[in-house]
Amino acid sequence: MSALFSTLAALFVGDLQRDRVVPASGYTSTLTSLTAAAMAFLVVFALALSLASYRLAQDWSKALEQSATLRISAPVEQLDAQVARAIEILETTPGVASARALSSEEQSDLLTPWLGVDVPFDKLPLPRLIEIVQTPDGFDPQGLRLRLTGELPSAVLDDHVRWRRPLVQAANWLSVLGVVAIGLIGLTSGAMIILAARAALAANAQVITVLRLIGATDAYIEAAFVRRFAFRTFIGAVVGTVIGAGVVALFPGEEEQAAILTGLRLSGVEWMWLVLIPPILSSIAFSATRYAANRLLKGLT
Amino acid sequence: MSDCILCGAQAQQGSDVKSGADVIELDGVAYSYGGGELLSDMSLAITPGAFYFLTGPSGAGKTTFLKMCYAALKPTSGALKLFGQDVRTMERNDIALVRRRIGVVHQDCQFIDHLSVADNIALPLSVSGQDNWDDTTNLKELLAWVGLSHRANALPPELSGGERQRAALARAIIMSPDIVLADEPTGNVDWEMSERLLRLLLELNRMGKTVVIASHDLSLIRSAKSQVQARVLRIANKRLQLAGANL
């Protein structure tokens, strides 16, 4: 534990002479920075996907859980009367905030994406739809169905539960997958940095031998390598994050309603999450390098 | 060289060697490797301020003996104490701290090749936390003492064999260690340079430092014996013997 504290202290205090004992160049340094940049880039996307899915699940949940639809199918001459009666029933139903029959134009707009623009909707015997907005407490769908069955047998109440639940679940799962992806990227980063650190330690065996010979403690040697790797990772992660953020910023935002990618662009405080990526990846590099160095040094006299 | 070159570091480091206590003490020490015994039943007490030569044929175990003396190797049996501390029970950190009191000059010198000669020499100070070494130690004076003032900014691969040995000696003594262990310090240099290195080591001994030199160069040993009361140890048949006067 004390070794950990001394390493941490050495990491943050810094020592120009110690930092110089590890050569600044070499393929491991480039590899570490590139790995960190690539991983940070991927984390930005995983984060954007996760946040967008979460937002989508929340939006769908909120938008649909307070609404329901009543469909009235009846002969044309009875349709208006049944719609009026249905609205009367709904307005007296506890838990219903408002009920409104959709106009012919609104119904046409709903069907146009499926049937095309040339269909004469006004000549078709389409059922009428009533949009119901619930109070926060909501209504009792079973009770309402029983009442409607007695007075308007052709009315069909759809409280959206059937299709809302799997959609929200899917969005939530997508959000979880994003988090899992971030975790996997973190683990992969750690593994790759361990490999790079081991290669660097092996390449600098002479440096380690000399340091041990002149009385360097393990904490001193670890800190020299750990600082170097944590710093390179930080720089790489900053570059990867900035590039990733730039690409994500080019995605259409929520307000632009661009099909499946709607809202993939981060918004508001969500951008602040990106600030955490470089320090977190640096922490992973710190732990991974320390682990690799510790294992190697324990095998030396 | 004035004594004060080594005074600064010494004053900061302090010394735990009790008055009259041995610097290195071996009692029945043996070392085995790969199933075979390389060194056997060695007993010796190296006292402060003494000057030792360690001789013996190539492969006799001189380097192994020296490595045990700075805890790079641990004896497989027997007791070895460095400054009163039993090597067998020392933690890795303790070993590192003890090594700061032991200056080692390797045959192949062992430098960090991308650091300048001056940085390599000053490295022990950084390692021991004396980051302000520029103020406390006169590195320039030390470089002048070993005759490397003009090579301070050179990289180790640019040095000649003799220059490397002198730089290694400067690094070994910058912390003002209690003992200097030199493994074949004159192995790769000409006679003139050997004499120069020997003079530096003798001067260190006159400052009170214990010096142990592993060498099979008998002419060097004879030269030293004419100038200092050196004891000559010989490793033969895996054992340590006090060499006679017939060197």
Side-chain angles (χ1 to χ4, degrees), chain B residues 4-24:
Chain B
C4 67
I5 289 175
L6 301 176
C7 289
Q10 191 172 37
Q12 288 175 42
Q13 185 187 2
S15 175
D16 294 337
V17 182
K18 293 168 195 153
S19 178
D22 296 324
V23 180
I24 298 174

Side-chain angles (χ1 to χ4, degrees), chain A residues 301, chain B residues 24-33 36-43 64-82 85-90 95 99:
Chain A
T301 52
Chain B
I24 298 174
E25 198 178 340
L26 298 91
D27 184 10
V29 164
Y31 183 77
S32 301
Y33 181 76
E37 197 170 59
L38 299 180
L39 299 173
S40 175
D41 194 24
M42 292 184 151
S43 296
T64 302
F65 177 86
L66 286 186
K67 281 186 172 178
M68 284 200 292
C69 289
Y70 61 90
L73 295 175
K74 289 189 179 182
T76 43
S77 68
L80 169 60
K81 288 183 180 176
L82 303 180
Q85 290 179 264
D86 193 330
V87 167
R88 287 173 302 184
T89 58
M90 284 166 79
I95 290 173
R99 281 184 187 163

Side-chain angles (χ1 to χ4, degrees), chain A residues 239-253:
Chain A
V239 171
T241 304
V242 167
I243 295 172
V247 174
V248 166
L250 294 176
F251 279 128

Side-chain angles (χ1 to χ4, degrees), chain A residues 1-13 18 217-220 222-223 226-227 283-291 294 298, chain B residues 93:
Chain A
M1 202 62 180
S2 63
L4 174 66
F5 282 128
S6 59
T7 303
L8 279 172
L11 181 72
F12 291 110
V13 171
R18 178 185 51 215
T217 58
D218 287 353
Y220 181 96
E222 275 173 25
V226 164
R227 271 177 67 86
S283 303
I284 291 171
F286 172 88
S287 305
T289 312
R290 192 167 179 277
Y291 170 81
N294 206 278
K298 280 212 165 88
Chain B
N93 234 30

